[in-house]
């Protein structure tokens, strides 16, 4: 009996010891599983990141779209004058002067950033310009590298009824380096290269293609009484703009072209009915439910593209059809050109 008890105690002690030896093995197993899960998650996230990067750089940048918008503007400032002129008219007596509409179909192109490898983009542009437009407007960053100049004469398949007009952007004027695009974001001095380019070859390439480049200049289309002003990058002094606007005939429809959205309130005060801009690329990278991360301009994030208002002026900010090839990634922000059906109310 005693022997049995001693044997039982020995067995108990041995089991206890064994338990103690086995217990520490639990931790490495758990750590190993956690490490495995971590590696799995890291690999998954890396793969998803790579897939998103591939999609953003190789696929979405080529998903060109043609979008349509309707815009209404009106010649408000002439109302009292016209009402007085039409005093005998029954409609005027009722306090509502006669009204007619000027309808225009305008194609807005922007930020083409043409380098030497843009056959697909130019093919898209030639496809959409093979239509009946009253006007085509191009709001800067037309050429990225000199090799892109060859495309200038091929952009328009058909001449728009009232012509095509263009302004230049910062990428027309500067050959940016990677330093400008990285450190330049925080150090203002490095934002642009020291040397501004001569854009004469750019202007020649556009003229060959049927565009009229406007460098702080205006044109008046007398038959339709349309006054177009092209504001050069990076902007224009208020007095200079006022001098130009003073030349606009009474009751003219006033259209503005610019690249960088800057001092939009000043442009509104100058009396534009509709003005077209670019530069933002719509943010280029947009997050679902959040929108554009940046606009690279005075605009708020929700104003990164589309129609916005300042005073009684309507602005259309284009997402553009390209970007600097060195940073051309687009997410949830496909490149676009826009057809604007403008209905401008006039009091006659
Ligand atoms: Fe641009």
């Amino acid at each position: 009996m005693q022997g049995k008890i001693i044997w039982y105690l020995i067995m108990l002690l041995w089991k206890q010891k064994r338990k103690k030896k086995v217990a520490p093995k639990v931790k490495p197993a758990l750590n190993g599983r956690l490490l495995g899960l971590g590696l799995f998650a890291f690999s998954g996230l890396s793969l998803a990141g790579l897939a998103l990067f591939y999609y953003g750089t190789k696929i979405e940048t080529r998903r060109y779209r043609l979008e349509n918008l309707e815009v209404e503007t009106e010649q408000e400032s002439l109302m009292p004058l016209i009402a007085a002129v039409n005093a005998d008219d029954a409609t005027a007596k009722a306090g509502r002067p006669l009204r007619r509409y000027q309808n225009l179909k305008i194609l807005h192109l922007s930020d083409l950033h043409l380098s030497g490898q843009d056959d697909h983009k130019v093919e898209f542009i030639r496809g959409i310009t093979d239509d009946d437009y009253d006007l085509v407007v191009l709001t800067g960053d037309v050429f990225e590298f000199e090799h892109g100049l060859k495309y200038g004469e091929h952009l328009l398949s058909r001449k728009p009824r009232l012509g095509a007009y263009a302004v230049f952007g910062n990428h027309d004027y500067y050959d940016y380096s990677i330093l400008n695009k990285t450190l330049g974001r925080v150090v203002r001095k490095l934002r642009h290269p020291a040397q501004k380019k001569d854009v004469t070859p750019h202007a020649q390439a556009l003229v060959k293609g049927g565009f009229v480049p406007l460098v702080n200049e205006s044109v008046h289309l007398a038959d339709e009484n349309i006054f177009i002003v092209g504001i050069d990058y990076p902007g224009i002094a208020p007095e200079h703009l006022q001098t130009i606007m003073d030349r606009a005939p009474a009751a003219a429809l006033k259209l503005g072209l610019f690249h960088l959205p800057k001092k939009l309130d000043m442009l509104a005060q100058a009396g534009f009915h509709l003005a077209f801009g670019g530069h933002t690329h719509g943010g280029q990278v947009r997050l679902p439910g959040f929108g554009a991360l940046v606009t690279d301009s005075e605009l708020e994030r929700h104003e990164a593209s589309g129609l916005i208002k300042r005073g009684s002026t309507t602005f259309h900010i284009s997402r553009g059809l390209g970007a600097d090839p060195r940073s051309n990634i687009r997410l949830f922000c496909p490149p676009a050109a826009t057809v604007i059906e403008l209905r401008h109310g006039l009091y006659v």
Side-chain angles (χ1 to χ4, degrees):
M1 182 66 182
Q2 249 181 346
K4 268 187 181 176
I5 292 170
I6 290 168
W7 178 245
Y8 175 75
L9 284 172
I10 289 170
M11 286 304 289
L12 203 67
L13 276 170
W14 183 77
K15 272 186 183 172
Q16 275 301 100
K17 238 183 179 181
R18 199 167 172 245
K19 255 187 192 173
K20 272 182 192 169
K21 272 182 191 169
V22 170
K25 280 186 182 170
V26 175
K27 265 191 180 170
L30 190 65
N31 285 345
R33 235 175 293 161
L34 281 174
L35 189 68
L37 272 172
L39 276 174
F40 182 74
F42 178 74
S43 314
L45 282 173
S46 303
L47 273 176
L50 279 173
L52 213 57
F53 183 76
Y54 180 82
Y55 170 79
T57 51
K58 303 288 180 199
I59 299 175
E60 184 154 325
T61 49
R62 293 187 178 207
R63 284 180 56 218
Y64 307 115
R65 287 184 183 184
L66 181 63
E67 297 179 342
N68 293 274
L69 286 172
E70 287 178 9
V71 173
E72 281 213 25
T73 57
E74 65 175 10
Q75 189 72 48
E76 283 175 66
S77 58
L78 287 184
M79 271 184 79
L81 173 71
I82 300 305
V85 170
N86 292 338
D88 291 335
D89 185 274
T91 317
K93 275 178 190 162
R96 288 163 47 220
L98 283 176
R99 201 170 194 201
R100 71 177 173 89
Y101 290 98
Q102 201 171 5
N103 295 301
L104 294 170
K105 186 176 173 185
I106 305 170
L107 175 66
H108 183 188
L109 301 171
S110 194
D111 296 81
L112 311 183
H113 290 266
L114 294 168
S115 63
Q117 313 282 321
D118 278 318
D119 291 3
H120 51 95
K121 197 185 293 172
V122 174
E123 216 170 282
F124 171 79
I125 296 168
R126 286 190 64 77
I128 60 172
T129 54
D130 190 18
D131 199 351
D132 292 322
Y133 296 106
D134 295 302
L135 288 166
V136 172
V137 295
L138 172 54
T139 52
D141 280 3
V142 184
F143 302 108
E144 184 67 41
F145 302 124
E146 306 302 305
H147 298 304
L149 295 177
K150 65 181 179 188
Y151 292 119
E153 61 185 295
H154 303 295
L155 293 175
L156 298 176
S157 285
R158 252 199 260 180
K159 194 180 184 306
R161 188 174 67 87
L162 299 168
Y165 302 88
V167 290
F168 295 116
N170 50 316
H171 280 257
D172 295 300
Y173 280 115
Y174 294 108
D175 272 332
Y176 288 101
S177 69
I178 201 73
L179 184 76
N180 305 126
K181 291 289 170 184
T182 49
L183 207 57
R185 295 282 164 191
V186 273
V187 183
R188 208 179 159 77
K189 256 188 159 181
L190 298 173
R191 188 89 167 84
H192 304 290
Q195 288 295 319
K196 217 174 172 186
K197 275 194 294 187
D198 172 16
V199 291
T200 308
H202 301 55
Q204 286 167 344
L206 285 175
V207 169
K208 247 180 162 180
F211 282 89
V212 177
L214 296 172
V215 181
N216 290 335
E217 293 166 285
S218 63
V219 285
H220 180 231
L221 309 175
D223 290 349
E224 312 252 343
N225 201 11
I226 299 171
F227 191 73
I228 304 172
V229 180
I231 295 166
D232 196 25
Y233 176 86
I236 189 169
E239 314 78 50
H240 190 176
L241 179 59
Q242 199 49 58
T243 311
I244 294 173
M245 295 303 276
D246 288 344
R247 288 183 218 133
L253 164 64
K254 299 181 193 83
L255 302 177
L257 315 186
F258 59 89
H259 177 67
L260 175 67
K262 186 180 177 185
K263 298 184 181 168
L264 295 195
D265 288 324
M266 177 190 86
L267 301 191
Q269 279 165 21
F272 288 109
H273 295 105
L274 175 61
F276 304 85
H279 184 72
T280 65
H281 304 176
Q284 223 175 290
V285 172
R286 299 173 70 94
L287 297 183
F290 185 79
L293 303 178
V294 290
T295 69
D296 200 21
S297 69
E298 70 177 26
L299 298 176
E300 299 291 331
R301 287 192 305 100
H302 69 273
E303 297 176 319
S305 62
L307 294 173
I308 58 176
K309 282 286 249 189
R310 293 286 187 276
S312 54
T313 302
T314 302
F315 292 87
H316 181 254
I317 308 297
S318 171
R319 291 209 301 276
L321 287 167
D324 182 337
R326 289 156 296 195
S327 57
N328 194 8
I329 178 166
R330 280 184 183 260
L331 285 175
F332 309 107
C333 189
T338 312
V339 177
I340 292 177
E341 302 270 1
L342 174 64
R343 184 173 147 97
H344 183 61
L346 283 161
Y347 299 94
V348 294

